[in-house]
Amino acid sequence: MSPNTPSPSSQSKKPQRLLACVLCQKRKVKCDRKEPCTNCLKSESQCVPASLAQRRRRRRFSERALLERLRKYEDLLRQNSISFEPLHRDSAREQESPNAENGDHSNDEHLRTVGPGLSTTSISTTTKSGRGSRPKNIWHAISQGFRGSDNDSDSSLDDAGEAVFKKAWDQSYENNEWLLFGSRTTIAELSILHPDPLQIFRLWQTYIENVNPLLKVTHTPSLQERFIEAASNVKNIKPTLEALMFSIYCTSIQSLEAKDCQILFGLSKDELLMRPSTVPQSLSSMLGVAVRIAQRMGIHSETALATCTIFEAEMRRRLWWSLVLFDTRISEIANSKMATLDPTWDCKIPLNVSDSDLRPEMKRPPVIQRNPTEAIFAVVRSEVGEFIRHTGFHLDLTSPALKAISKHLQNEPSQEGGELIKLEETIEGEYLKSCDPENPVHFMTIWTTRAYLAKCRLLEHHSRYSSSSIRQAEAERDAATSHALRMLECDTKIMTSPLTKGFRWLNHFYFPFPAYIQITQDLRTRPTSEQAQQAWEVMSDNHMVWFNAQCPEDSPFFHIFAKLVLQAWEACEAASKQSGNTSEPPPPPIVASIRHTLAQTAATRNAQNPDDTEQPNTPVTGMETDELRVPMSTGFTNQNLPSSAGMQDGYAVPGGLDVYPGTSGQAPFDIATNQLDWTASCAHSDWEGWPGWGGWPGWGGC
């Protein structure tokens, strides 16, 4: 073979492609591919062949990285209110700019009807809030730190994936359901605990009539079919649906009066519930678990809700608001300062739409109705709660440190009740004026809202003057008492109307104790004021509908309540004598009823203990009622004063008198709340055991 003849191996190799030199590539000019090339010779530059340069790897983006980048850009567009075509048209992210394509500007019209002078941020439905800020993802942050600028491969954390770590972690604790409900040592047969089908349908109808109109946490059209199907075969029900069914049974029975339970089911209310009453401290702890689960689900965050469907996001908003308001109320009853109603979350209020307007398959948000819908009660109380959780007086009494993030403090007027007056005008104009007083839900909405707004006016008044050394003028004292009288008048309307019979289960949680405190203390200091006669009449009417001439004589808290009223009447009697009247004025019905109850209690105790020589007054956790004394005035002084921070009209706090810390005042008040053992008071008797009381009285309002 000739030495010039190429070998077979060399013949099989393809000729090497000559590339343009590095400088010509940078200049983007044609290279003649010589060494050195003509361009480099002309420019007297060093010609570096491309084959000697390190090849730059082309960076690739994974599909996940591209989607994340796209999601980030979409978020920026939403935050700046820029219209765009989202990648997924069926995503719930469209809720951030509803009705944009069909030209429906109902939201803009709603903004214009807020009312003169009222900031558009004062009502949540009028707030064009941007997308909630998304918290950083620690997994992405770590993986980003290990990814070089010229390294297009994902880090080991990216390869494993956040989902893999999360799944492995969750599986490590998969058998811990016993933590709350105990270990399953024996398998319980729940099917035998269900009522018979006829009773199940009665309970379902009771739930629809008495509970669902106020809470709106279930979607009746979609649930009813599943409920009826499950009732026909109770041995084959999914656990989640079965838990919901028992919850419906329980709330339905709770909403009925004792005599109705006997008529409908032939059993007493206690027998139907099959459980002892839960103390509020334990219930508050369980609700804390529920709130934490809700937060883990993300129903408190619009960022998380944006990933849900239109239907699911709306139902989750309803659930969150109902949970927050109930948890706030129970926290007060349990004497817990943990207020869930604060400005740290951004869940919007529920839409004013009926259940028929919501469908699981819907792709566009429903049109907000201007007239009252079946969800009006839940919408209005959420609306007011949304405003209150950002107000200065509420945060002063719950979490002063959160005032820095409040929406309403920047432009808060110096006039007392200025923002609340505008809120009241807006609520009346937006919702209440369109309500039909003959409709039970509308009637309940009207008077609970007005009562709650009156309570807020009273709270704002005392928050303003509690830390002030300036004495209140007569007009200011009259205004505070007027708010308290308004609370009692609204509460009396709710308790006496036949329209609210099915809804009184909710009102029984909220005895208007702060109104009684304000009125009785004002009567003690000003027994001859122009409001005195009206005050005794209003208190007597409200006392009658709550107690129905049957006072809870064995309750320690009743004796505190009785002491408040009797001290106020003694001041009126003393003022009458000083004015020259020789005959004692006839006692009002509330005073006569309390005196009668105390006399009966004393007679019963004397009959049971004939050798007992002690005073007839019933001791309150080891103290005689005559020994009770605490500094207080019309501006609430003691840090242990009963307080309220929630919605649903005022609250009756059982034993919990330390909900609003930091209040202060000027003058003495003869009830030593700071010396009483309120936990022992709660344990003394059933906290739901008073006829018509439904809870312990506290600083909550109506």
Side-chain angles (χ1 to χ4, degrees), residues 103-212:
D104 188 354
H105 301 288
S106 60
N107 197 36
D108 295 333
E109 294 175 6
H110 182 68
L111 285 170
R112 293 192 291 269
T113 59
V114 171
L118 181 60
S119 170
T120 55
T121 59
S122 60
I123 303 293
S124 64
T125 55
T126 67
T127 303
K128 291 187 71 175
S129 59
R131 181 179 175 84
S133 58
R134 182 188 296 273
K136 291 185 177 180
N137 189 311
I138 186 61
W139 298 100
H140 295 175
I142 294 175
S143 61
Q144 184 68 27
F146 284 95
R147 185 183 299 122
S149 58
D150 31 340
N151 180 13
D152 58 344
S153 63
D154 291 338
S155 68
S156 59
L157 285 177
D158 276 344
D159 292 335
E162 177 187 357
V164 176
F165 280 96
K166 182 178 182 300
K167 182 178 180 180
W169 184 263
D170 291 342
Q171 288 176 346
S172 301
Y173 300 93
E174 61 182 355
N175 296 320
N176 65 342
E177 66 273 8
W178 53 266
L179 181 63
L180 290 178
F181 305 106
S183 176
R184 294 185 178 181
T185 55
T186 58
I187 299 178
E189 182 58 50
L190 295 181
S191 61
I192 63 175
L193 299 178
H194 284 273
D196 61 60
L198 179 59
Q199 291 178 336
I200 290 178
F201 295 140
R202 285 179 178 174
L203 290 171
W204 170 249
Q205 190 62 34
T206 301
Y207 172 81
I208 293 177
E209 294 174 356
N210 297 352
V211 181
N212 184 61

Side-chain angles (χ1 to χ4, degrees), residues 74-344:
E74 289 184 352
D75 290 345
L76 291 174
L77 291 172
R78 289 190 186 91
Q79 291 172 10
N80 291 277
S81 302
I82 299 175
S83 301
F84 67 97
E85 186 76 15
L87 179 62
H88 301 292
R89 290 297 304 163
D90 59 343
S91 174
R93 299 177 189 275
E94 293 180 312
Q95 294 188 78
E96 296 299 323
S97 55
N99 306 322
E101 293 187 356
N102 57 13
D104 188 354
H105 301 288
S106 60
N107 197 36
D108 295 333
E109 294 175 6
H110 182 68
L111 285 170
R112 293 192 291 269
T113 59
V114 171
L118 181 60
S119 170
T120 55
T121 59
S122 60
I123 303 293
S124 64
T125 55
T126 67
T127 303
K128 291 187 71 175
S129 59
R131 181 179 175 84
S133 58
R134 182 188 296 273
K136 291 185 177 180
N137 189 311
I138 186 61
W139 298 100
H140 295 175
I142 294 175
S143 61
Q144 184 68 27
F146 284 95
R147 185 183 299 122
S149 58
D150 31 340
N151 180 13
D152 58 344
S153 63
D154 291 338
S155 68
S156 59
L157 285 177
D158 276 344
D159 292 335
E162 177 187 357
V164 176
F165 280 96
K166 182 178 182 300
K167 182 178 180 180
W169 184 263
D170 291 342
Q171 288 176 346
S172 301
Y173 300 93
E174 61 182 355
N175 296 320
N176 65 342
E177 66 273 8
W178 53 266
L179 181 63
L180 290 178
F181 305 106
S183 176
R184 294 185 178 181
T185 55
T186 58
I187 299 178
E189 182 58 50
L190 295 181
S191 61
I192 63 175
L193 299 178
H194 284 273
D196 61 60
L198 179 59
Q199 291 178 336
I200 290 178
F201 295 140
R202 285 179 178 174
L203 290 171
W204 170 249
Q205 190 62 34
T206 301
Y207 172 81
I208 293 177
E209 294 174 356
N210 297 352
V211 181
N212 184 61
L214 303 186
L215 301 185
K216 300 305 294 182
V217 295
T218 55
H219 186 247
T220 304
S222 59
L223 179 60
Q224 180 164 296
E225 182 179 350
R226 298 171 59 201
F227 197 92
I228 295 175
E229 182 181 354
S232 62
N233 186 10
V234 294
K235 292 185 177 181
N236 262 336
I237 307 177
K238 292 183 178 180
T240 52
L241 178 59
E242 192 164 32
L244 178 60
M245 292 178 69
F246 277 106
S247 300
I248 291 174
Y249 301 157
C250 181
T251 54
S252 299
I253 294 172
Q254 288 279 19
S255 70
L256 294 172
E257 296 181 357
K259 61 180 180 180
D260 293 332
C261 291
Q262 194 70 43
I263 295 173
L264 292 175
F265 305 105
L267 295 172
S268 68
K269 194 171 183 177
D270 292 337
E271 290 174 326
L272 289 171
L273 292 175
M274 296 178 60
R275 62 167 181 80
S277 297
T278 305
V279 296
Q281 289 82 358
S282 298
L283 185 56
S284 177
S285 299
M286 294 298 294
L287 277 170
V289 175
V291 171
R292 181 59 63 88
I293 293 174
Q295 291 172 334
R296 185 175 177 85
M297 294 170 60
I299 69 175
H300 68 300
S301 169
E302 285 299 319
T303 300
L305 292 175
T307 64
C308 302
T309 63
I310 302 271
F311 172 79
E312 185 178 1
E314 183 59 24
M315 295 308 300
R316 288 187 173 207
R317 291 188 185 98
R318 290 183 177 185
L319 177 60
W320 172 253
W321 273 101
S322 181
L323 181 62
V324 164
L325 298 176
F326 186 58
D327 175 65
T328 302
R329 170 66 193 118
I330 297 301
S331 294
E332 295 166 349
I333 296 178
N335 192 21
S336 171
K337 300 184 183 66
M338 300 302 294
T340 316
L341 193 70
D342 59 35
T344 58

Side-chain angles (χ1 to χ4, degrees), residues 543-544 546-553 558 593 597 600 690-692:
H543 176 269
M544 179 60 66
W546 272 97
F547 299 106
N548 195 23
Q550 295 180 0
C551 296
E553 57 190 47
F558 167 72
S593 175
T597 300
Q600 282 187 328
W690 293 5

Side-chain angles (χ1 to χ4, degrees), residues 355-628:
D355 283 357
S356 58
D357 299 322
L358 295 170
R359 299 179 305 280
E361 68 278 4
M362 66 192 311
K363 303 300 182 182
R364 298 180 182 276
V367 178
I368 300 176
Q369 302 297 321
R370 293 188 174 276
N371 295 323
T373 65
E374 61 189 42
I376 185 66
F377 184 85
V379 170
V380 173
R381 70 171 187 158
S382 301
E383 188 86 74
V384 180
E386 167 67 16
F387 179 89
I388 295 302
R389 73 186 180 105
H390 292 281
T391 55
F393 79 87
H394 171 70
L395 295 177
D396 273 335
L397 299 171
T398 53
S399 304
L402 297 178
K403 292 177 68 176
I405 62 175
S406 173
K407 287 197 238 177
H408 307 321
L409 295 184
Q410 298 296 328
N411 301 317
E412 190 171 9
S414 57
Q415 177 187 0
E416 178 179 339
E419 283 291 326
L420 287 174
I421 293 174
K422 295 174 184 176
L423 171 67
E424 188 171 357
E425 293 173 352
T426 303
I427 293 295
E428 289 282 349
E430 290 270 332
Y431 298 104
L432 303 189
K433 75 174 184 180
S434 303
C435 290
D436 179 11
E438 300 300 321
N439 182 299
V441 178
H442 294 187
F443 183 90
M444 186 78 171
T445 303
I446 292 171
W447 294 109
T448 52
T449 304
R450 289 173 178 171
Y452 180 70
L453 291 173
K455 187 206 75 170
C456 291
R457 297 283 299 276
L458 181 61
L459 280 177
E460 197 273 343
H461 172 88
H462 288 297
S463 175
R464 179 179 292 268
Y465 289 101
S466 62
S467 58
S468 174
S469 59
I470 303 175
R471 295 184 62 86
Q472 299 179 41
E474 291 297 309
E476 293 163 345
R477 295 179 183 273
D478 289 342
T481 301
S482 296
H483 299 326
L485 292 173
R486 176 71 166 165
M487 288 170 59
L488 293 187
E489 289 171 342
C490 295
D491 184 73
T492 302
K493 283 185 175 291
I494 296 172
M495 295 293 291
T496 55
S497 174
L499 296 174
T500 61
K501 179 182 178 182
F503 303 145
R504 288 176 195 160
W505 64 270
L506 183 63
N507 205 60
H508 282 170
F509 279 94
Y510 312 114
F511 180 75
F513 193 55
Y516 281 97
I517 292 179
Q518 169 64 38
I519 296 170
T520 54
Q521 289 307 105
D522 189 56
L523 289 172
R524 287 190 63 197
T525 56
R526 302 189 304 160
T528 58
S529 68
E530 295 180 357
Q531 297 172 310
Q533 183 63 31
Q534 179 191 4
W536 286 113
E537 293 175 358
V538 171
M539 283 197 300
S540 295
D541 292 342
N542 188 260
H543 176 269
M544 179 60 66
V545 298
W546 272 97
F547 299 106
N548 195 23
Q550 295 180 0
C551 296
E553 57 190 47
D554 62 335
S555 168
F557 220 113
F558 167 72
H559 291 275
I560 298 177
F561 174 77
K563 188 72 174 178
L564 281 173
V565 176
L566 295 181
Q567 286 176 346
W569 180 244
E570 289 171 1
C572 292
E573 289 180 327
S576 178
K577 291 181 180 178
Q578 290 179 359
S579 63
N581 293 332
T582 56
S583 59
E584 293 185 358
I590 184 174
V591 174
S593 175
I594 290 174
R595 285 178 173 175
H596 177 71
T597 300
L598 293 177
Q600 282 187 328
T601 303
T604 302
R605 296 184 67 189
N606 290 335
Q608 294 175 350
N609 303 292
D611 298 331
D612 191 357
T613 58
E614 294 182 2
Q615 295 295 325
N617 290 326
T618 302
V620 181
T621 62
M623 298 178 60
E624 300 295 333
T625 54
D626 288 336
E627 297 173 357
L628 302 178

Side-chain angles (χ1 to χ4, degrees), residues 615-678:
Q615 295 295 325
N617 290 326
T618 302
V620 181
T621 62
M623 298 178 60
E624 300 295 333
T625 54
D626 288 336
E627 297 173 357
L628 302 178
R629 185 173 184 81
V630 69
M632 178 180 164
S633 71
T634 52
F636 297 107
T637 327
N638 195 280
Q639 290 186 354
N640 290 331
L641 283 176
S643 312
S644 164
M647 181 48 204
Q648 302 179 11
D649 253 51
Y651 304 133
V653 180
L657 298 183
D658 198 12
V659 178
Y660 276 164
T663 52
S664 59
Q666 297 91 11
F669 168 45
D670 292 345
I671 299 292
T673 56
N674 59 334
Q675 300 176 19
L676 297 177
D677 182 1
W678 300 114

